[in-house]
Amino acid sequence: MKVFARQGYYQSTVAQIAGEAGVADGTIYLYFKNKDDILVQFFSFKTKQVFERFREEVDRAETAIGKLRNLVRIHLEEFQRDRNMAIVYQTETHQISRMAEDQIREMSKLYLDIISEIVERGQVEGAIRRDLYLGIVKRLIIGSVDEVINTWLHAGGQYDLVSMAEPLVELFIRGIGTQPPEANPADGTGEPIRS
Amino acid sequence: MKVFARQGYYQSTVAQIAGEAGVADGTIYLYFKNKDDILVQFFSFKTKQVFERFREEVDRAETAIGKLRNLVRIHLEEFQRDRNMAIVYQTETHQISRMAEDQIREMSKLYLDIISEIVERGQVEGAIRRDLYLGIVKRLIIGSVDEVINTWLHAGGQYDLVSMAEPLVELFIRGIGTQPPEANPADGTGEPIRS
Amino acid sequence: MKVFARQGYYQSTVAQIAGEAGVADGTIYLYFKNKDDILVQFFSFKTKQVFERFREEVDRAETAIGKLRNLVRIHLEEFQRDRNMAIVYQTETHQISRMAEDQIREMSKLYLDIISEIVERGQVEGAIRRDLYLGIVKRLIIGSVDEVINTWLHAGGQYDLVSMAEPLVELFIRGIGTQPPEANPADGTGEPIRS
Amino acid sequence: MKVFARQGYYQSTVAQIAGEAGVADGTIYLYFKNKDDILVQFFSFKTKQVFERFREEVDRAETAIGKLRNLVRIHLEEFQRDRNMAIVYQTETHQISRMAEDQIREMSKLYLDIISEIVERGQVEGAIRRDLYLGIVKRLIIGSVDEVINTWLHAGGQYDLVSMAEPLVELFIRGIGTQPPEANPADGTGEPIRS
DNA sequence: GATGAATGAGGATTCATTCAT
DNA sequence: AATGAATGAATCCTCATTCAT
């Protein structure tokens, strides 16, 4: 992962990976079917294990909002803890035509399911709006968290990533608008207002 | 772009690109310094031009909310219009260690600046909350839009991407929470609520 | 020649030659059959013309020694005058497996014939030893002159090449040995003398 | 070396070299950094080793003339023994703008130093004239030997090269002129004598 | 006659993978 | 189980040459 994180999958050679691991080139092939399998196994184990942590943390909270908060917090925590994983995950996940795509899709689905579950529970609880298009809510949450992580990575991991969790969740819930009861910014026309 | 979109940069060969373009392999090198330069020139021209469209559309609206709506709408429109560009942009932009990184960073900054401008104007107008951490608002917007596009791309561009603009912006503004004046979901403790 | 002199035949491109000549690449092929032909024509014309000068100068002297002196002097003069020619000649002539080999061999033969003629005349005149192996005398003269030129070229043509002519010829004639009548260094055994 | 000798450096392909060596193309790169390095290593090892033989043989003789004789003889012997080395050395050494130039220059200097040493010793011994321009004496000897080898190579190595050593050295020492004490051919005017 | 864009064969080099030790 | 030398297919890139304008 260190090697993939530093140079990207295609720019990394099996020899470099073996060197970093302190074994001979051929030894890699005793544990991985081929170069691609290194990435596949990474997604299978390392990140799967992380996702299990996500599940645990979500389950520890009772309310939907609490679960959401926990999800975002643990997400940032785990990605901050293992920066190489974070880089490889963010980078290789966005390759559209990856061979490991099935692995990724499956894992991504797990994440989406957690969010669906949280949102639905929140709606039952009355804490989350009922007039939401679930698909978009998922994008909002996943996309925002992803981007917060990406920014942190590009900045070289200088600051504390986890501290972003709280304000981010708050933004999900309240939105950026001032919400006076008398004026609904979504007036249904969808037209930008011109003078 | 068609080739890069289909196979990714490293999986594409210059011969394939030449073939798709209907020219000889060597001809590529009359117009591009090397394989990498194909990507660099793409970012320099094609996407730069798209970003200018963004600016135009943003300027056409008067209010902050209108500008935001226009930005998101034109973003989705342009990426829907040119799917190959969309794929290459979304994919190669997320490679951390790209050579074209400077190009990308610069362009990304332009986008961020537009958002900053909109948010600040909205705060003056009174339409956008003043108690916001601007950095996170940027991530929220960019990340969400990116993710909406990614989902659409992974789905094979089956549905109308632009129709996502309106509900997405609405979500930015109002958030997902029900906001009864009596219950503030962000109670300041930052702790998930457990029973 | 400027290009060949700077970079060598194989390192030079037709485009560079055309560029130096201030014409388009294709124009080269109106005057030369192919890249190789540029070198062939160079040897045919430029150096052939130089060799004619050699002949003239040799003919201007009456005695063998005078002719030899003139040959060496004009050789150094001409090569000093046109340094690019000198470089190309010295470099490309030593390639064993050149296509232009016939050209070179023929020219080289002309030079050898001049020397043969001079030596034979000198023997008739009584100025040159009769007990000489002609083949080796030719190598002595050609090789020495060549090497004097090479050294000058490698030194960047800093000093006056022609001034080497006189001492060189003197060396040909008298040799490096002190020749006391009582001690013959070539004692016939051919064995190095050990104490 | 066989391949370089047959076709010259630029005309030889790495595939040919690998084929001649009976290994795969890629194997070459386990032992040589690149194509150029093959030549560099050749000059570093093979010819360096030959030059050490030169030194040995020179040291075995006591007198300057004996040393000179030994130097020329061993030079011709070694180059006759390994014809491929001879060809590559004679050919690639004369390329002015070679990358391996430093290697060559250094080696060439070794050779020149040996000659200087011999000449100076000869002058002390009284066997070699004191009124010599050392630089030209070096050219005389190196150039002549080189040319003798070249001629032999161009002739296809048909005859015995080593037999040239003795008459060549004799020529160095006595020169080609008949040296009557009463007539000095170098009369100081430097002018060819015309009738 | 001159041009220079286009060609595509050729060649150096890389690197995932194998397999005898 | 581990090694690492050897492999050779694959790929980027160069450049002599052509030919329509």
Side-chain angles (χ1 to χ4, degrees):
Chain A
M1 283 317 106
K2 199 195 253 184
V3 176
F4 283 161
R6 191 173 57 232
Q7 308 182 324
Y9 177 79
Y10 289 110
Q11 297 284 72
S12 303
T13 70
V14 173
Q16 285 173 320
I17 294 166
E20 186 69 46
V23 299
D25 294 12
T27 308
I28 296 290
Y29 289 85
L30 298 177
Y31 299 93
F32 300 95
K33 195 150 52 61
N34 51 37
K35 186 184 173 188
D36 201 60
D37 189 44
I38 303 175
L39 213 52
V40 169
Q41 286 201 34
F42 164 73
F43 282 121
S44 294
F45 294 106
K46 178 68 194 174
T47 71
K48 182 169 286 181
Q49 157 194 335
V50 165
F51 274 70
E52 276 163 19
R53 285 281 293 124
F54 289 7
R55 168 53 67 190
E56 277 176 44
E57 284 299 309
V58 166
D59 289 348
R60 285 186 50 216
E62 292 291 318
T63 66
I65 302 298
K67 282 172 188 291
L68 180 58
R69 216 169 249 143
N70 279 9
L71 176 62
V72 173
R73 193 200 306 112
I74 189 70
H75 190 155
L76 298 183
E77 261 175 35
E78 293 293 333
F79 275 54
Q80 176 162 257
R81 188 208 306 281
D82 189 345
R83 231 177 125 235
N84 288 333
M85 175 202 67
I87 293 174
V88 174
Y89 184 80
Q90 298 288 359
T91 303
E92 304 304 332
T93 267
H94 281 268
Q95 304 277 80
I96 302 285
S97 55
R98 283 231 45 84
M99 332 93 243
E101 193 156 16
D102 288 340
Q103 289 283 338
I104 293 167
R105 213 193 292 266
E106 200 181 335
M107 216 160 33
S108 164
K109 190 163 178 321
L110 279 178
Y111 198 84
L112 290 168
D113 288 346
I114 294 180
I115 297 179
S116 294
E117 188 190 310
I118 292 174
V119 171
E120 278 158 15
R121 166 185 285 258
Q123 290 174 326
V124 170
E125 286 175 7
I128 293 181
R129 293 166 54 193
R130 287 211 137 83
D131 61 335
L132 293 172
Y133 176 16
L134 188 54
I136 293 195
V137 175
K138 289 179 192 170
R139 306 306 148 230
L140 177 86
I141 294 171
I142 292 184
S144 301
V145 173
D146 257 31
E147 189 63 24
V148 164
I149 293 170
N150 271 331
T151 303
W152 177 75
L153 287 173
H154 275 102
Q158 304 287 345
Y159 51 87
D160 181 45
L161 182 57
V162 181
S163 67
M164 303 285 123
E166 200 51 44
L168 189 56
V169 171
E170 199 266 351
L171 216 49
F172 291 156
I173 296 168
R174 291 185 52 205
I176 63 173
T178 53
Q179 279 112 355
E182 65 278 8
N184 185 345
D187 59 3
T189 70
E191 285 304 300
I193 300 152
R194 304 213 187 77
S195 62
Chain B
M1 282 315 108
K2 198 196 257 185
V3 176
F4 282 163
R6 189 172 60 232
Q7 309 183 321
Y9 177 79
Y10 290 110
Q11 296 285 75
S12 303
T13 70
V14 174
Q16 285 173 321
I17 295 166
E20 186 68 46
V23 299
D25 294 14
T27 308
I28 297 290
Y29 291 87
L30 297 176
Y31 299 93
F32 300 95
K33 199 153 47 59
N34 50 36
K35 187 185 170 186
D36 204 61
D37 189 44
I38 303 175
L39 213 50
V40 169
Q41 286 201 33
F42 165 74
F43 282 118
S44 294
F45 294 106
K46 178 68 195 173
T47 71
K48 184 169 286 180
Q49 156 194 335
V50 166
F51 274 70
E52 277 162 20
R53 285 281 293 124
F54 289 5
R55 168 52 66 194
E56 279 175 43
E57 285 299 309
V58 166
D59 290 347
R60 286 186 49 216
E62 293 290 320
T63 67
I65 303 297
K67 282 172 187 291
L68 180 57
R69 214 168 251 144
N70 278 9
L71 176 62
V72 174
R73 192 199 308 112
I74 189 70
H75 189 157
L76 297 183
E77 261 175 36
E78 293 291 336
F79 276 54
Q80 177 162 258
R81 189 209 304 281
D82 189 343
R83 234 180 121 233
N84 289 331
M85 174 203 69
I87 293 175
V88 174
Y89 184 80
Q90 298 287 358
T91 303
E92 304 304 334
T93 267
H94 281 267
Q95 304 278 81
I96 301 285
S97 56
R98 283 229 50 83
M99 331 93 239
E101 194 156 16
D102 287 340
Q103 289 281 339
I104 294 169
R105 214 192 290 267
E106 200 181 336
M107 217 159 35
S108 164
K109 189 160 179 325
L110 280 178
Y111 198 84
L112 289 168
D113 288 346
I114 294 181
I115 297 179
S116 294
E117 187 189 310
I118 291 175
V119 171
E120 279 157 14
R121 165 186 285 256
Q123 290 174 327
V124 171
E125 286 176 7
I128 292 180
R129 292 166 53 193
R130 288 210 138 83
D131 60 335
L132 293 172
Y133 177 15
L134 187 55
I136 293 195
V137 174
K138 289 180 192 169
R139 306 305 150 231
L140 177 86
I141 294 171
I142 291 185
S144 303
V145 173
D146 255 30
E147 188 64 23
V148 163
I149 293 170
N150 272 330
T151 303
W152 176 76
L153 286 173
H154 275 103
Q158 303 289 344
Y159 52 86
D160 181 45
L161 182 57
V162 181
S163 68
M164 303 284 122
E166 200 52 44
L168 189 56
V169 171
E170 198 268 349
L171 216 50
F172 291 156
I173 297 168
R174 292 185 51 204
I176 63 173
T178 53
Q179 279 108 356
E182 65 278 9
N184 185 346
D187 58 4
T189 69
E191 285 304 301
I193 300 153
R194 303 214 187 78
S195 63
Chain C
M1 284 315 106
K2 198 197 253 185
V3 177
F4 283 161
R6 190 174 57 233
Q7 308 183 325
Y9 177 78
Y10 289 110
Q11 298 284 73
S12 303
T13 70
V14 173
Q16 285 174 320
I17 295 166
E20 186 69 45
V23 299
D25 295 11
T27 308
I28 297 289
Y29 290 86
L30 298 177
Y31 298 93
F32 300 94
K33 194 152 52 60
N34 50 36
K35 186 184 173 187
D36 202 61
D37 190 44
I38 302 174
L39 213 51
V40 169
Q41 286 200 34
F42 165 74
F43 282 120
S44 294
F45 293 106
K46 178 70 194 172
T47 71
K48 182 169 288 182
Q49 156 194 334
V50 166
F51 274 71
E52 276 162 19
R53 285 281 291 123
F54 289 5
R55 168 53 66 194
E56 279 176 42
E57 284 300 309
V58 167
D59 290 347
R60 286 187 50 217
E62 293 289 320
T63 67
I65 302 298
K67 283 172 186 291
L68 180 58
R69 216 169 249 143
N70 278 10
L71 176 62
V72 172
R73 192 197 311 109
I74 189 68
H75 190 157
L76 298 183
E77 262 175 36
E78 293 292 336
F79 276 53
Q80 177 163 258
R81 189 209 306 282
D82 189 344
R83 231 178 125 235
N84 288 332
M85 175 201 68
I87 292 175
V88 174
Y89 184 80
Q90 298 287 1
T91 303
E92 304 304 334
T93 267
H94 281 268
Q95 304 277 82
I96 301 287
S97 54
R98 284 230 45 83
M99 332 92 241
E101 193 156 16
D102 288 340
Q103 288 283 337
I104 293 168
R105 213 194 290 268
E106 199 181 337
M107 214 160 36
S108 165
K109 188 159 181 325
L110 279 179
Y111 198 83
L112 289 168
D113 288 346
I114 295 181
I115 297 179
S116 294
E117 185 189 312
I118 292 174
V119 172
E120 279 158 14
R121 166 185 284 257
Q123 289 173 330
V124 170
E125 287 176 7
I128 292 180
R129 292 166 53 194
R130 288 210 138 84
D131 60 335
L132 293 173
Y133 176 15
L134 187 54
I136 293 195
V137 174
K138 290 179 192 171
R139 305 305 149 232
L140 178 85
I141 295 171
I142 292 186
S144 302
V145 174
D146 255 30
E147 189 63 24
V148 164
I149 293 170
N150 272 330
T151 302
W152 177 76
L153 287 173
H154 275 104
Q158 303 289 345
Y159 51 89
D160 180 46
L161 182 57
V162 182
S163 67
M164 303 284 123
E166 199 52 43
L168 188 56
V169 170
E170 198 267 351
L171 215 50
F172 291 156
I173 296 167
R174 290 185 52 205
I176 64 172
T178 53
Q179 281 110 356
E182 65 277 11
N184 185 346
D187 60 2
T189 70
E191 285 304 300
I193 299 151
R194 304 211 188 81
S195 64
Chain D
M1 283 315 108
K2 198 195 255 186
V3 177
F4 282 162
R6 189 173 59 233
Q7 308 183 323
Y9 177 80
Y10 290 109
Q11 296 286 74
S12 303
T13 70
V14 173
Q16 285 174 322
I17 294 166
E20 186 68 46
V23 298
D25 294 13
T27 308
I28 297 291
Y29 291 87
L30 297 177
Y31 300 93
F32 300 94
K33 198 152 47 59
N34 49 38
K35 187 184 171 187
D36 202 61
D37 190 43
I38 302 174
L39 213 51
V40 169
Q41 286 200 34
F42 164 74
F43 282 119
S44 293
F45 294 105
K46 178 67 194 174
T47 70
K48 183 169 285 180
Q49 157 194 333
V50 165
F51 273 70
E52 277 163 19
R53 286 281 294 123
F54 289 5
R55 170 50 69 190
E56 277 175 44
E57 284 300 308
V58 166
D59 289 347
R60 285 187 50 216
E62 293 290 320
T63 65
I65 303 297
K67 282 172 188 289
L68 181 58
R69 216 169 251 144
N70 278 9
L71 176 63
V72 174
R73 194 197 310 111
I74 188 70
H75 189 155
L76 298 183
E77 261 175 35
E78 293 291 335
F79 275 54
Q80 176 162 256
R81 189 209 305 281
D82 189 344
R83 235 181 121 233
N84 288 331
M85 175 202 68
I87 293 175
V88 175
Y89 185 80
Q90 297 287 359
T91 303
E92 304 303 333
T93 267
H94 281 269
Q95 304 278 82
I96 302 285
S97 56
R98 283 231 50 81
M99 331 94 239
E101 193 156 15
D102 288 340
Q103 289 282 339
I104 293 168
R105 213 193 290 267
E106 200 181 336
M107 218 160 33
S108 163
K109 188 163 179 323
L110 279 178
Y111 198 84
L112 290 168
D113 288 346
I114 294 181
I115 297 179
S116 294
E117 188 190 310
I118 292 175
V119 171
E120 279 158 13
R121 166 185 285 258
Q123 291 173 328
V124 170
E125 285 175 8
I128 292 180
R129 293 165 53 192
R130 287 212 138 83
D131 61 334
L132 294 172
Y133 177 15
L134 188 53
I136 293 195
V137 174
K138 288 181 193 170
R139 307 303 150 233
L140 177 85
I141 296 171
I142 291 184
S144 303
V145 174
D146 256 31
E147 189 63 24
V148 164
I149 293 170
N150 272 331
T151 304
W152 176 75
L153 287 173
H154 274 104
Q158 303 288 344
Y159 52 87
D160 180 47
L161 182 57
V162 182
S163 67
M164 304 284 122
E166 201 50 44
L168 188 56
V169 171
E170 199 266 351
L171 215 49
F172 290 156
I173 296 167
R174 291 185 50 205
I176 63 173
T178 52
Q179 277 112 355
E182 65 278 10
N184 185 347
D187 59 3
T189 68
E191 285 303 303
I193 300 152
R194 302 214 189 77
S195 62

